[in-house]
Amino acid sequence: MPRLLLRLLAGVHLVAFVSLWVQIDGLIGSRGILPARDFFAYLERVLGAGVLERFVNVPSLLWFGADDAALHVLCAAGVLLSLLAIAGLVTAPVFAALWICYLSLVWGGQTFLAFQWDTLLLEATLCAVVLAPLGWPFRGPATAPGEPRRLTASIRAAFRVTPNPAAARPGTWLFRLLVVKLMFLSGAVKLLSLDPTWWRLTALDVHYFTQPLPVAASWYAHHLPEWVHRLSVLVMFAVELAAPWFVFFRRLRLPGVGVLLLLQLLIAATGNYGFFNLLTAVLCLSWLGAGTVDGWTRTSGLQAAARGGGRPRARPGNRVRWAVATAILLLSLLTSMRELTRSLPRGPETPPAAAAAADFIDRALVDPAAPPLRAIAPFRSINGYGLFRAMTTSRPEIVVETSADGATWSELAFRFKPGDLDHPPRAAFPHMPRLDWQMWFAALDPAGADWLGSFVERLFEGEPAVLRLLGEAARPAEPPRYVRLRLYDYAFSEPRTGARWWQREFLYDLSPVLAREAFAQDPVDGGAR
């Protein structure tokens, strides 16, 4: 099971790298929305010339160069390493290389790679480094002197990694406990936030149309009876809060994993969350081999004794694995405690008992752990998680309009973001359309979306790399002369009202009419005026 788990994780890496690769020029390329080259030039001014200080604060290979070639090399390296691991080269050096490649791109991606599944993938890859064999795999089969070595046998041997069950235990448990942490925190933070939609079981009344990128099935799910929504919230809490603990009991393990996988399937069917559901499903599968690993270990010990080896001796490397795994688990516990306490609202409305408990945990655990947590924060590989702790109850949507004369306007079409009222929401799974996702966040906080000005600038320039992030209809023959940003309130249409998918109401203009000639002298700041 450990070997299969590593290969499945490599498959998730392949999806993540390919998905990012096809967008990277438009997002963070030299002519992209947030060029990584400019970001690292800024970091160099802030952090100074000390090489060690740079890497400690921003661990990224892009310090050696953040141009377009470097970005493509990192993506290509990630794809190649993923394919090698899928083919069977599941070793610690391979996953360490995958980890540093993706971490480097996460830093270069700035806000476009700041999602929880990006950090979840980094944390899972760190677990894989502990789980995977350490030995150098490129060793051919033993042959007698003078005996020719067949090429096919050499290739098979190059990807043959001898399993070491004792070494697999600490890494396997890191995977399993990561599932427990992810799922339990996802449920707990919803309750601790005291968000009324969760406590009143009304969150799913609005979730299907207010989530970042709905799919066509979201429209149908939204129009299910209210009692189905209430029951669904209760079942969701049961799965997230209780099912993770079922896996510790042999008889409940299979049902526990089953309901966790079913939840991921339902989430993926009703929303676009990139590779998150795929990655979570792979992590859940780590529990299915619990009995197998134990049996494998016992069988291996009996075989060693039968060969005259007696009781298998503990290897020094295994002790190192257990030490590293223990340190990761302790830090993971601290980040979980911090996540739970941060989820509580701090203010007059907070119940006194909850506030006292949060203060106690802060003093006893979180505050003393602050220095090590700050030290590991740049590596983004031991994290707390909390999806949808506060539910948005409306859907503001930024509509970008372009014009050649300032009189006739056309709406910019995105691939997956809601826009055209008659256009059905599209499924992107397992692709992660990062610009479309960030447009959702920008609508919630336009003043904080400081990348919107750069996006408009690239539209004025007619930058092909950025236009490729949009739908086919959004690629005009000539760059627009005028652009304006408008805010609408979107909601799913009601059945039999004429509008097939969406209905909307104009709220206000986020920006004045922006002219191409004047924009360079006075760029819009985050789209808000």
Side-chain angles (χ1 to χ4, degrees):
M1 187 64 188
R3 184 180 177 86
L4 175 61
L5 181 64
L6 293 173
R7 296 172 84 164
L8 291 174
L9 180 61
V12 178
H13 265 289
L14 180 62
V15 170
F17 276 109
V18 171
S19 174
L20 178 59
W21 200 356
V22 299
Q23 308 174 76
I24 201 162
D25 287 329
L27 295 176
I28 60 172
S30 59
R31 299 295 304 160
I33 299 171
L34 291 177
R37 180 180 59 190
D38 297 346
F39 178 59
F40 275 83
Y42 163 76
L43 290 176
E44 185 175 355
R45 294 193 299 269
V46 171
L47 297 176
V51 176
L52 179 60
E53 184 177 4
R54 290 183 190 174
F55 276 93
V56 168
N57 287 279
V58 182
S60 175
L61 296 176
L62 292 177
W63 283 116
F64 297 107
D67 56 7
D68 293 347
L71 297 175
H72 285 275
V73 165
L74 282 175
C75 289
V79 169
L80 177 60
L81 289 165
S82 301
L83 290 172
L84 288 173
I86 292 171
L89 193 61
V90 284
T91 63
V94 168
F95 282 96
L98 282 170
W99 177 80
I100 190 60
C101 286
Y102 203 74
L103 177 62
S104 299
L105 290 170
V106 164
W107 270 106
Q110 304 156 77
T111 189
F112 291 115
L113 274 91
F115 299 101
Q116 290 198 43
W117 36 94
D118 292 315
T119 55
L120 179 62
L121 182 58
L122 287 172
E123 186 162 359
T125 311
L126 180 64
C127 298
V129 174
V130 180
L131 172 62
L134 293 172
W136 180 252
F138 293 104
R139 291 193 296 250
T143 58
E147 179 184 345
R149 177 180 298 172
R150 293 183 179 180
L151 178 60
T152 56
S154 298
I155 295 175
R156 286 198 302 269
F159 291 94
R160 183 182 299 129
V161 181
T162 303
N164 181 2
R169 284 179 177 176
T172 303
W173 276 103
L174 284 179
F175 272 101
R176 295 170 182 167
L177 295 178
L178 177 56
V179 176
V180 176
K181 177 176 75 170
L182 171 66
M183 300 307 300
F184 180 75
L185 285 181
S186 295
V189 298
K190 293 179 177 69
L191 293 178
L192 291 177
S193 68
L194 303 183
D195 182 89
T197 62
W198 290 118
W199 281 91
R200 295 171 186 170
L201 308 181
T202 60
L204 292 186
D205 292 357
V206 295
H207 167 71
Y208 292 113
F209 75 90
T210 63
Q211 63 179 312
L213 297 180
V215 296
S218 307
W219 188 91
Y220 296 98
H222 174 71
H223 291 296
L224 290 172
E226 287 188 1
W227 68 266
V228 176
H229 292 163
R230 307 292 188 275
L231 180 61
S232 298
V233 174
L234 283 174
V235 171
M236 181 276 302
F237 275 122
V239 172
E240 291 186 341
L241 294 174
W245 307 105
F246 288 178
V247 295
F248 289 99
F249 304 93
R250 185 176 299 274
R251 294 184 178 181
L252 297 177
R253 183 173 300 142
L254 188 58
V257 172
V259 295
L260 291 175
L261 292 175
L262 180 60
L263 177 63
Q264 297 310 310
L265 179 62
L266 292 174
I267 294 173
T270 56
N272 284 306
Y273 295 95
F275 55 85
F276 168 69
N277 305 114
L278 183 63
L279 174 57
T280 305
V282 169
L283 296 177
C284 290
L285 292 177
S286 65
W287 279 101
L288 293 183
T292 304
V293 171
D294 295 338
W296 185 15
T297 304
R298 290 192 296 269
T299 302
S300 177
L302 291 174
Q303 290 174 346
R307 290 194 299 266
R311 185 181 182 86
R313 291 180 298 175
R315 300 178 183 177
N318 295 350
R319 300 193 190 100
V320 174
R321 287 177 190 268
W322 276 111
V324 172
T326 301
I328 292 174
L329 288 175
L330 289 176
L331 291 170
S332 186
L333 176 62
L334 292 175
T335 57
S336 300
M337 290 294 184
R338 182 178 61 184
E339 194 72 27
L340 292 173
T341 55
R342 285 179 175 178
S343 299
L344 281 170
R346 303 298 179 95
E349 72 281 2
T350 306
D359 290 340
F360 173 78
I361 294 175
D362 281 343
R363 291 194 306 270
L365 291 174
V366 178
D367 291 343
L373 292 182
R374 280 196 300 267
I376 65 172
F379 298 95
R380 304 186 180 188
S381 298
I382 302 177
N383 312 289
Y385 301 95
L387 299 173
F388 292 106
R389 74 185 66 205
M391 183 61 66
T392 54
T393 57
S394 62
R395 186 184 187 92
E397 194 72 56
I398 296 176
V399 173
V400 183
E401 297 183 347
T402 63
S403 174
D405 56 10
T408 303
W409 295 88
S410 59
E411 296 184 8
L412 205 61
F414 289 75
R415 290 183 184 274
F416 302 98
K417 187 182 84 68
D420 186 351
L421 302 184
D422 295 322
H423 187 74
R426 293 180 58 190
F429 176 85
H431 174 58
M432 176 62 188
R434 296 179 182 272
L435 174 60
D436 299 64
W437 254 85
Q438 283 299 336
M439 288 296 292
W440 180 77
F441 285 107
L444 296 177
D445 182 20
D450 52 2
W451 55 271
L452 276 176
S454 178
F455 175 58
V456 172
E457 182 179 2
R458 294 295 183 257
L459 293 179
F460 279 133
E461 296 168 353
E463 176 55 45
V466 174
L467 293 179
R468 283 195 295 270
L469 300 174
L470 307 173
E472 295 290 337
R475 303 178 189 178
E478 296 291 334
R481 290 192 60 190
Y482 303 97
V483 172
R484 66 184 181 187
L485 307 181
R486 318 191 86 189
L487 196 69
Y488 286 82
D489 181 68
Y490 269 66
F492 277 144
S493 64
E494 294 298 324
R496 298 180 297 277
T497 58
R500 180 65 182 87
W501 297 101
W502 295 100
Q503 57 188 6
R504 72 183 186 183
E505 178 184 355
F506 175 73
L507 297 177
Y508 55 87
D509 286 316
L510 277 177
S511 74
V513 174
L514 305 170
R516 184 198 309 165
E517 295 77 8
F519 187 80
Q521 288 75 33
D522 185 25
V524 62
D525 181 14
R529 288 293 178 93

